[in-house]
Amino acid sequence: MKRYKIGEISELSGLTLRTIRYYEEMGLLSAGRTNGGQRFYSDQDLVYLKRIIELKSLGFTLEEISRIIRLKDEDHSGNKRRTELLTQYRLKLSQDLERMATLQSHVDELKWHIAQLESAEDGFTDCPGAACAGCEHKDRCVFFKEK
């Protein structure tokens, strides 16, 4: 098994020394120590760092990541972590799909406003105004009120 000094693991993972130490303080990572007290890390530690980076990029908080990593203490087979990851991935996907739908609705609304203003003869001053009754967008417009 290869042993890496903190500078080497930093370079391999793309993380700063400070971040690696912080992850250690949080219990996300646990460095071995030489007889002289110098930290060293293993290939498994590098895998954990890359997993942490991946999970953070997917929107996981460090607290969520820590909870998943700590499951190794309860189940050395990895099944609990796998199940928890699947649950969390599905939750994140659901949340992202919801945000995507909200964003799509916002985009559609902006497109509608663009079309509405482009179809008015005098742009902003015609809308709202005398042209409202004949406007093709009156059913959706917040300004138009039938008397």
Side-chain angles (χ1 to χ4, degrees), residues 9 13 22 38 71-72 75 83 107 109 114 117 146:
I9 202 93
S13 66
Y22 180 64
Q38 187 177 27
L71 287 173
K72 77 176 177 183
D75 175 27
T83 301
V107 166
E109 185 70 14
I114 290 168
L117 286 171
E146 279 202 73

Side-chain angles (χ1 to χ4, degrees), residues 93-107:
L93 177 61
S94 174
Q95 291 168 342
D96 285 352
L97 288 171
E98 214 173 283
R99 276 194 296 275
M100 210 163 73
T102 300
L103 185 57
Q104 185 61 53
S105 176
H106 181 78
V107 166

